[in-house]
Amino acid sequence: MGKFRARRAFAAAAVALAAVLGAGGWAADTQQAVTGPPPGSAAWTADTALGLRLPDPATADPAEVAAFFSGLTPAQSGELAARHPLVVGNLDGVPVRLRYRANALALAGERDREAARGADPALTPRDQAAARTRAERYRTLLDGGRQVLAFDPRGRGQIAEVYGDLATARRTAVVVPGSDIDLLSFDRAADPYGTPAGMARSLYEATGRTSAVIAWAGYTTPVGLGLDAATEDLARAGAGRLTRLLDGLAVSTRPEAPATVFCHSYGSVVCGLARPGPAQASGVVVLGSPGMGVGSAADLDPRVPLWATARNGSDWIGRVPDVSLFGLGHGADPTGPDFGARPVPSTGSHGHTGYFAPGTASLAAYAALAQGR
């Protein structure tokens, strides 16, 4: 009997993996998660120009960072942003507008560096073309006064952008994306509601521009549908980064109204493993979810309401089995009747990336939740 159960378990795991891979094709290259403190942290901690000990990005929590910056003059803060833009721009707890300024400096520096590489005859034509693509991406992020809350050029690149005013908005929302999102695919004209920027813009407009919305591509996502998408390693690394973001928002926005977190596809695994508490989130909303890495809503903080969006009939994620065996799969379906999530309608939505499209019942519900209703 034991052997029979083992065979069934192995068979279920194989079915889960086959379904995940068959939904969109095999992705052979696994991703190395970008973790740890921001780039440039070693130079930051060694900086004694102000005669002060700077908070260690690897160990200081956002509240400590916020307390440190509250004791600086504007001139001192500006000096640190100019000398260490990648640290100041990515350090949760730093005043939001100072982060915008620091990230603009970091983007300009990386734009110039990649533009030079794009004309470097020592590089291959392929590397030159990749450098020019990155330089153009950085240029677009500098246009039009965009509010870049985080920018990390390491790996495939990470970024977070704010729509609205975090300082004055009564409510805040965070969009956590799924697979195939990075610095280059963060915002695109094709399939706009499948990108964190497109989702955030749509939600911001749907709230009547009353809630600030953060498009957060702040973790290393899976590429394609392969082992990375079927396992939780990248989600676990992303959960730590999401937790730090939410802790930072708690000290830099209205603490009485923590963010509502919207988690799409593999991003719902990130949110499930992060398990935000009431000081970090007013609620968690999952959509197009393959599972949350937990058995039910009871495994999450009961003080944080959980909503699950009804899966539309054309969403391919419905073909992924609701299992978690031998490290494959992400567990129970959050939309299932026994999971314990509150239902969100999705009438009018289409496909895996259509839940934030204007005119859908899901977007209307998301706007209400983002406004605290």
Side-chain angles (χ1 to χ4, degrees):
M1 191 65 165
K3 290 183 179 179
F4 177 70
R5 287 198 185 98
R7 289 195 198 99
R8 285 185 60 189
F10 275 114
V15 168
L17 180 59
V20 170
L21 300 181
W26 171 260
D29 60 326
T30 56
Q31 301 297 302
Q32 183 66 41
V34 172
T35 58
S41 291
W44 161 273
T45 54
D47 189 336
T48 59
L50 294 182
L52 299 170
R53 183 177 180 180
L54 307 185
D56 187 345
T59 59
D61 64 34
E64 293 172 310
V65 173
F68 172 81
F69 274 88
S70 69
L72 299 181
T73 66
Q76 289 173 321
S77 295
E79 287 178 31
L80 289 177
R83 286 202 299 274
H84 308 282
L86 282 169
V87 174
V88 174
N90 286 290
L91 198 53
D92 293 297
V94 171
V96 169
R97 295 205 173 277
L98 184 62
R99 290 182 69 172
Y100 295 161
R101 192 193 321 166
N103 283 317
L105 292 171
L107 281 162
E110 289 297 311
R111 175 203 58 197
D112 294 344
R113 189 178 74 84
E114 292 294 344
R117 293 183 72 246
D120 186 349
L123 297 182
T124 66
R126 180 177 179 178
D127 288 341
Q128 288 176 334
R132 289 193 295 269
T133 297
R134 283 222 166 191
E136 177 61 16
R137 169 82 281 202
Y138 300 148
R139 185 196 64 76
T140 62
L141 290 168
L142 286 164
D143 284 349
R146 296 176 71 165
Q147 300 178 138
V148 177
L149 186 67
F151 164 64
D152 189 336
R154 292 177 297 177
R156 289 158 44 216
Q158 298 180 5
I159 188 164
E161 183 176 11
V162 177
Y163 298 87
D165 190 337
L166 280 175
T168 61
R170 294 183 60 191
R171 308 287 301 197
T172 302
V174 177
V175 174
V176 181
S179 298
D180 296 311
I181 297 297
D182 53 33
L183 191 106
L184 294 179
S185 58
F186 166 80
D187 187 3
R188 57 178 182 255
D191 188 26
Y193 307 116
T195 70
M199 294 178 193
R201 275 196 299 264
S202 184
L203 180 59
Y204 176 55
E205 295 295 338
T207 68
R209 300 188 174 189
T210 60
S211 295
V213 185
I214 301 170
W216 183 73
Y219 78 104
T220 304
T221 67
V223 172
L225 294 163
L227 283 174
D228 279 343
T231 58
E232 294 176 354
D233 290 348
L234 295 181
R236 196 168 291 108
R241 297 176 79 82
L242 176 61
T243 296
R244 189 172 180 89
L245 170 80
L246 297 176
D247 286 342
L249 291 175
V251 300
S252 59
T253 60
R254 296 174 184 267
E256 74 278 8
T260 303
V261 188
F262 293 84
C263 318
H264 178 240
S265 195
Y266 189 84
S268 61
V269 189
V270 176
C271 294
L273 296 181
R275 292 178 170 83
Q280 300 164 316
S282 294
V284 172
V285 186
V286 298
L287 51 141
S289 175
M292 298 186 69
V294 298
S296 72
D299 296 324
L300 304 174
D301 194 311
R303 298 167 295 177
V304 179
L306 173 68
W307 285 271
T309 308
R311 190 178 297 120
N312 66 59
S314 56
D315 186 345
W316 60 260
I317 204 75
R319 302 202 300 272
V320 177
D322 308 320
V323 297
S324 180
L325 293 166
F326 306 109
L328 298 173
H330 305 302
D333 179 1
T335 66
D338 299 325
F339 192 86
R342 307 177 187 194
V344 173
S346 62
T347 306
S349 67
H350 300 283
H352 188 54
T353 58
Y355 297 101
F356 279 89
T360 60
S362 44
L363 179 61
Y366 299 160
L369 292 171
Q371 292 172 295
R373 295 190 280 110

